[in-house]
Amino acid sequence: MKAFTSVNDVSNVPSFIKEALKLKQAPFAFQHLGKNKTLGLIFLNPSLRTRLSTQKAAMNLGMNVIVLNIDKEGWQLEMQDSAVMNGTTVEHVKDAATVIGNYCDIVGIRCFPGLKNKEEDYTESVLNKFIQYCNCPLVSLESATLHPLQSFADAITINEHWKKSGKPKVVLTWAPHIKPLPQAVANSFVQWMLKSEVDFVITHPQGYELAEQFTKNAKINYDQQEALQGADFIYAKNWSSFTSYGTMPDVKEDWMLTPEKLKATPDAKVMHCLPVRRNVEVPDSLLDSPSSLIYNQAENRVYAAQAVLKNMLESNF
Ligand code: CP
């Protein structure tokens, strides 16, 4: 594996999940793989889980880890090719990424979308510049359009908690928020669920359709209550509009998941990637209930990252 930027970098999702669960049983079994190898984690945006879980995963594999919050601690980056840099930007991404790649054996990069220019975000212009110039294996720590480490952890969590035979019903339900958020977690979750052994439904208000490139083969139901019927796993997440790009048309507070909405599916597990705006996106009564898997998801971020890094280390790059 030379890059991990989407589910398309994984040849077989069910067997990759099994590999991560094996690592969870024996996290230190492959310490030799990372000896004298360096992982560089570069953040253009804030993080708690991604930073700590990926760092822990690398340490479990015996790697050295260096972290740069480049948005706060680095020089302001210029992203445009051939720019005359006589303004506020100090260092061109081609120089920064080339140097970072020279220091590291694997690079992780977090680069959120600006949510202003759909084309710029959906062509992953920043992520691709780092891939181009780092010249070493690269892991997405959440890009403009996708968050594959999160979705991999989510898929692991669903697999771990599904004890019945047959496929579980998994519902992705839009949740209210106070400000426009990226579509990355939702896009990515859709991609991973469509390659997993689950019956998958997306529900959201009109105007919040995700990009068709991700939802092409997905079931979409605009009636939340109908979509939730018979659900085994319910993933609540806000995202801003894709069609009316980066806006929050007609905010629907009544889309918040509530215990009342789950009366018909009392055994359904509730998921969220965190951070969560409590009592805006999902109420305390669900997040703190026995049905909640939020901390299990966060724990599995370690083993998702560890499976990816192990695969890269074994690729003998
Ligand atoms: N879920 C997630 O990626 O969390 P952080 O933004 O804190 O890394």
Side-chain angles (χ1 to χ4, degrees), residues 12 15 25 32 37 45 101 111-112 127 132 140 170 184 188 212 215 218 227 237 240 254 270 292 307:
N12 183 320
S15 69
Q25 293 307 312
H32 57 283
K37 300 280 186 191
N45 313 96
C111 48
F112 286 176
L127 180 72
Q132 180 182 356
S140 165
V170 179
S188 194
E212 213 184 317
T215 58
K237 182 73 186 88
S240 60
D254 60 345
V270 175
S292 173

Side-chain angles (χ1 to χ4, degrees), residues 46-51 110 142 147 150 273-275 301:
S47 169
L48 186 154
R49 278 143 293 272
T50 305
R51 174 178 169 156
R110 168 165 279 198
E142 186 171 345
H147 194 356
Q150 179 64 53
C273 62
L274 303 180
R301 291 292 306 272

Side-chain angles (χ1 to χ4, degrees), residues 221-237:
N221 188 339
Y222 291 102
D223 183 331
Q224 187 189 38
Q225 202 55 61
E226 199 176 279
L228 292 175
Q229 273 176 25
D232 298 297
F233 296 91
I234 302 170
Y235 200 107
K237 182 73 186 88

Side-chain angles (χ1 to χ4, degrees), residues 124-234:
E124 294 286 7
S125 61
V126 176
L127 180 72
N128 285 327
K129 282 194 162 55
F130 275 90
I131 291 173
Q132 180 182 356
Y133 296 118
C134 278
N135 198 29
C136 67
L138 187 137
V139 181
S140 165
L141 305 175
E142 186 171 345
S143 67
T145 67
L146 293 169
H147 194 356
L149 283 176
Q150 179 64 53
S151 311
F152 183 19
D154 299 334
I156 294 166
T157 309
I158 289 169
N159 183 287
E160 253 184 329
H161 287 84
W162 180 240
K163 306 290 182 203
K164 299 181 191 163
S165 58
K167 293 179 179 181
K169 178 174 177 182
V170 179
V171 181
L172 170 63
T173 182
W174 185 89
H177 204 278
I178 59 158
K179 63 176 198 169
L181 294 188
Q183 295 103 31
V185 169
N187 288 339
S188 194
F189 188 68
V190 172
Q191 274 198 325
W192 283 73
M193 288 302 104
L194 292 179
K195 289 204 173 184
S196 298
E197 291 157 348
V198 302
D199 175 18
F200 181 54
V201 182
I202 307 169
T203 183
H204 57 71
Q206 299 273 357
Y208 285 89
E209 292 76 12
L210 294 164
E212 213 184 317
Q213 70 190 86
F214 300 115
T215 58
K216 205 165 45 223
N217 297 313
K219 283 181 231 162
I220 299 167
N221 188 339
Y222 291 102
D223 183 331
Q224 187 189 38
Q225 202 55 61
E226 199 176 279
L228 292 175
Q229 273 176 25
D232 298 297
F233 296 91
I234 302 170

Side-chain angles (χ1 to χ4, degrees), residues 43-85:
F43 288 89
L44 279 76
N45 313 96
S47 169
L48 186 154
R49 278 143 293 272
T50 305
R51 174 178 169 156
L52 297 180
S53 62
T54 311
Q55 190 163 358
K56 185 170 163 68
M59 293 189 304
N60 285 353
L61 290 166
M63 298 187 81
N64 299 311
V65 186
I66 49 182
V67 182
L68 178 62
N69 298 308
I70 204 165
D71 58 329
K72 298 180 191 76
E73 301 156 356
W75 302 113
Q76 194 170 337
L77 293 182
E78 175 60 56
M79 296 292 174
Q80 296 303 322
D81 292 336
S82 308
V84 177
M85 291 172 54

Side-chain angles (χ1 to χ4, degrees), residues 17 26 54 71 75 91 102 126 138 180 193 218 256 260 296 310:
I17 291 171
T54 311
D71 58 329
W75 302 113
E91 179 156 32
N102 285 341
V126 176
L138 187 137
M193 288 302 104
M256 182 165 79
E260 292 68 42
N296 308 79
K310 174 175 173 281

